[in-house]
Coordinates of all heavy atoms in Angstrom, one line a residue:
A22 N 82.2 -82.8 82.2 CA 81.2 -83.7 81.7 C 81.8 -85.0 81.2 O 81.3 -86.1 81.4 CB 80.5 -83.0 80.5
D36 N 64.8 -95.9 88.5 CA 64.7 -95.2 89.8 C 63.5 -94.3 89.9 O 63.0 -94.0 91.0 CB 66.0 -94.3 89.9 CG 67.2 -95.1 90.0 OD1 67.2 -96.3 90.4 OD2 68.3 -94.5 89.8
D40 N 57.9 -97.7 83.8 CA 57.9 -99.0 83.2 C 58.6 -99.0 81.8 O 58.3 -98.0 81.1 CB 56.4 -99.4 83.0 CG 56.3 -100.9 82.7 OD1 56.7 -101.3 81.5 OD2 55.8 -101.7 83.4
P41 N 59.3 -100.0 81.4 CA 60.0 -100.0 80.1 C 59.0 -99.8 79.0 O 59.4 -99.4 77.9 CB 60.7 -101.3 80.1 CG 61.0 -101.6 81.5 CD 59.8 -101.1 82.3
F59 N 52.2 -90.8 81.6 CA 51.3 -89.9 82.4 C 49.9 -90.5 82.6 O 49.3 -90.5 83.7 CB 51.1 -88.5 81.6 CG 50.2 -87.5 82.3 CD1 50.7 -86.8 83.4 CD2 48.9 -87.4 81.9 CE1 49.9 -85.9 84.1 CE2 48.1 -86.5 82.5 CZ 48.6 -85.8 83.6
D60 N 49.4 -91.2 81.5 CA 48.1 -91.9 81.7 C 48.2 -92.9 82.8 O 47.2 -93.1 83.6 CB 47.8 -92.5 80.4 CG 47.6 -91.6 79.2 OD1 47.3 -90.4 79.5 OD2 47.8 -91.9 78.0
A95 N 71.3 -81.2 94.6 CA 71.2 -81.1 96.1 C 70.0 -81.8 96.7 O 70.1 -82.6 97.6 CB 71.2 -79.6 96.5
N176 N 39.1 -79.4 40.8 CA 39.3 -80.8 40.2 C 40.6 -81.4 40.7 O 40.7 -82.6 40.8 CB 39.3 -80.7 38.6 CG 37.9 -80.4 38.1 OD1 36.9 -80.7 38.8 ND2 37.9 -79.9 36.9
R187 N 34.3 -88.6 43.2 CA 35.1 -87.7 44.0 C 34.8 -87.8 45.5 O 33.7 -88.2 45.9 CB 34.9 -86.2 43.6 CG 35.2 -86.0 42.1 CD 34.8 -84.5 41.8 NE 34.9 -84.2 40.4 CZ 36.0 -83.8 39.8 NH1 37.1 -83.7 40.5 NH2 36.0 -83.6 38.5
M234 N 65.7 -72.1 60.4 CA 66.8 -73.0 60.5 C 67.4 -72.8 61.9 O 67.3 -71.7 62.4 CB 67.8 -72.8 59.4 CG 68.4 -71.5 59.3 SD 69.5 -71.3 57.9 CE 70.7 -72.6 58.1
V236 N 70.4 -72.3 63.0 CA 71.7 -71.7 63.0 C 71.6 -70.2 63.0 O 70.7 -69.6 62.4 CB 72.5 -72.2 61.7 CG1 73.8 -71.5 61.6 CG2 72.7 -73.7 61.7
T256 N 57.8 -63.5 42.8 CA 58.7 -63.2 43.9 C 58.0 -62.5 45.1 O 57.0 -61.9 45.0 CB 59.8 -62.1 43.4 OG1 59.2 -61.0 42.9 CG2 60.6 -62.7 42.3
N293 N 46.3 -63.8 56.0 CA 44.8 -63.5 55.8 C 44.5 -63.7 54.4 O 45.3 -63.5 53.5 CB 44.5 -62.1 56.3 CG 44.7 -61.9 57.7 OD1 44.5 -62.8 58.6 ND2 45.2 -60.7 58.1
P299 N 41.2 -65.1 58.5 CA 42.5 -65.8 58.8 C 42.6 -67.1 58.1 O 41.7 -67.8 58.0 CB 42.4 -66.0 60.3 CG 40.9 -66.0 60.6 CD 40.3 -65.0 59.6
T301 N 44.5 -70.7 58.0 CA 45.2 -71.6 58.9 C 45.9 -72.7 58.2 O 45.7 -73.0 57.0 CB 44.2 -72.2 59.9 OG1 43.3 -73.1 59.1 CG2 43.3 -71.2 60.6
N457 N 74.1 -66.8 93.0 CA 75.1 -67.6 92.3 C 76.4 -67.1 92.5 O 76.8 -66.0 91.9 CB 74.7 -67.7 90.8 CG 75.4 -68.8 90.1 OD1 76.1 -69.6 90.7 ND2 75.3 -68.8 88.8
E464 N 82.7 -61.7 100.8 CA 81.6 -62.0 101.8 C 80.8 -60.8 102.0 O 79.6 -60.9 102.2 CB 82.3 -62.4 103.1 CG 81.3 -62.9 104.2 CD 82.0 -63.4 105.4 OE1 83.3 -63.6 105.4 OE2 81.3 -63.7 106.4
A465 N 81.4 -59.6 102.0 CA 80.6 -58.4 102.3 C 79.6 -58.1 101.2 O 78.4 -57.7 101.4 CB 81.6 -57.2 102.4
H488 N 78.2 -74.3 91.2 CA 79.1 -74.4 90.0 C 80.4 -75.0 90.4 O 81.0 -75.9 89.7 CB 79.3 -73.0 89.5 CG 80.2 -73.0 88.2 ND1 81.6 -72.9 88.3 CD2 79.9 -73.0 86.9 CE1 82.0 -72.9 87.1 NE2 81.0 -72.9 86.2
K493 N 76.3 -80.3 96.6 CA 76.7 -79.9 97.9 C 76.7 -78.4 98.1 O 76.4 -77.9 99.2 CB 78.1 -80.5 98.1 CG 78.6 -80.2 99.6 CD 80.0 -80.8 99.8 CE 80.5 -80.6 101.2 NZ 81.9 -81.2 101.4
D497 N 71.8 -75.7 101.0 CA 71.0 -74.6 101.7 C 69.9 -74.1 100.8 O 68.8 -73.8 101.4 CB 72.0 -73.5 102.2 CG 72.9 -73.9 103.3 OD1 72.7 -74.9 103.9 OD2 73.9 -73.1 103.5
Q507 N 56.4 -75.7 101.5 CA 55.6 -76.2 102.6 C 54.8 -75.0 103.3 O 53.8 -75.3 104.0 CB 56.5 -76.9 103.7 CG 57.0 -78.2 103.2 CD 58.0 -78.8 104.2 OE1 58.5 -78.0 105.1 NE2 58.3 -80.1 104.1
Q511 N 48.7 -69.1 99.6 CA 47.9 -68.2 98.7 C 47.6 -68.9 97.4 O 48.4 -69.8 96.9 CB 48.7 -66.9 98.4 CG 49.1 -66.1 99.6 CD 49.9 -64.9 99.2 OE1 49.4 -64.0 98.6 NE2 51.2 -64.9 99.6
S565 N 57.2 -59.5 73.3 CA 58.5 -59.7 72.7 C 59.4 -58.5 73.0 O 59.2 -57.4 72.4 CB 58.3 -59.8 71.2 OG 59.6 -59.8 70.5
Q568 N 65.7 -58.7 76.8 CA 65.9 -59.3 78.2 C 66.8 -58.5 79.0 O 67.0 -58.8 80.2 CB 66.4 -60.7 78.0 CG 67.9 -60.9 77.5 CD 67.9 -61.0 76.0 OE1 67.1 -60.4 75.3 NE2 68.9 -61.8 75.5
K578 N 69.4 -49.7 82.8 CA 69.6 -50.7 83.8 C 68.8 -50.4 85.1 O 68.1 -49.4 85.2 CB 71.1 -50.9 84.1 CG 72.0 -51.1 82.8 CD 71.5 -52.4 82.1 CE 72.4 -52.7 80.9 NZ 71.9 -53.8 80.1
S594 N 50.3 -65.9 67.6 CA 50.5 -67.3 67.5 C 49.3 -68.0 68.0 O 49.1 -68.4 69.1 CB 51.7 -67.6 68.4 OG 52.9 -67.2 67.9
T615 N 82.1 -61.9 65.7 CA 83.4 -62.1 65.0 C 84.1 -63.4 65.4 O 84.6 -64.1 64.5 CB 84.4 -60.9 65.3 OG1 83.7 -59.7 65.0 CG2 85.6 -61.0 64.5
G633 N 85.7 -78.5 73.7 CA 85.5 -77.1 73.5 C 84.1 -76.6 73.7 O 83.8 -75.4 73.6

Side-chain angles (χ1 to χ4, degrees):
D36 293 344
D40 190 294
F59 180 77
D60 297 334
N176 288 340
R187 300 178 187 273
M234 63 186 300
V236 174
T256 57
N293 299 322
T301 68
N457 192 10
E464 186 175 354
H488 183 272
K493 185 177 180 181
D497 289 344
Q507 292 171 341
Q511 302 176 69
S565 171
Q568 69 269 34
K578 305 304 182 186
S594 288
T615 305

